[in-house]
Amino acid sequence: MFGFRGGESAETVLRKKGYMKGAQANWRFLTNFDLSTIKTEAQLASLVKERSGISGAEAQRNVQEWVKGKIL
């Protein structure tokens, strides 16, 4: 999701870096390491649930709302 795979275009790298900053602004508890290892929405939702103490359903809704309109 956020991690870099190598061989990606400069545009893709820039977009992912922007998404990482946006995610950290939304969920302040996410570290750069966290974001570099998250590959799916489900992983992000699980981390949001674990770190914020909200329900899994609420975390999933929050992540889905945040992801809406993004090119992942």
Side-chain angles (χ1 to χ4, degrees), residues 29-31 34 46-54:
F29 50 78
L30 293 175
T31 66
D34 292 334
S46 177
L47 197 54
V48 168
K49 174 189 176 287
E50 178 183 314
R51 301 258 177 94
S52 65
I54 61 177

Side-chain angles (χ1 to χ4, degrees), residues 1-3 5 8-9 11-20 39 41 66-72:
M1 176 177 241
F2 299 108
R5 297 181 188 142
E8 295 172 313
S9 70
E11 180 182 308
T12 298
V13 171
L14 189 60
R15 184 180 69 244
K16 285 185 175 185
K17 284 183 178 183
Y19 289 167
M20 289 174 78
K39 293 179 178 36
E41 283 183 50
W66 182 80
V67 166
K68 202 175 289 182
K70 291 179 174 52
I71 302 168
L72 303 174

Side-chain angles (χ1 to χ4, degrees), residues 21-71:
K21 287 182 182 190
Q24 283 182 314
N26 201 38
W27 299 290
R28 298 239 182 246
F29 50 78
L30 293 175
T31 66
N32 287 335
F33 179 77
D34 292 334
L35 293 169
S36 70
T37 60
I38 293 171
K39 293 179 178 36
T40 66
E41 283 183 50
Q43 287 176 327
L44 178 57
S46 177
L47 197 54
V48 168
K49 174 189 176 287
E50 178 183 314
R51 301 258 177 94
S52 65
I54 61 177
S55 72
E58 186 177 354
Q60 187 174 4
R61 278 191 305 274
N62 290 345
V63 168
Q64 286 175 342
E65 184 65 32
W66 182 80
V67 166
K68 202 175 289 182
K70 291 179 174 52
I71 302 168

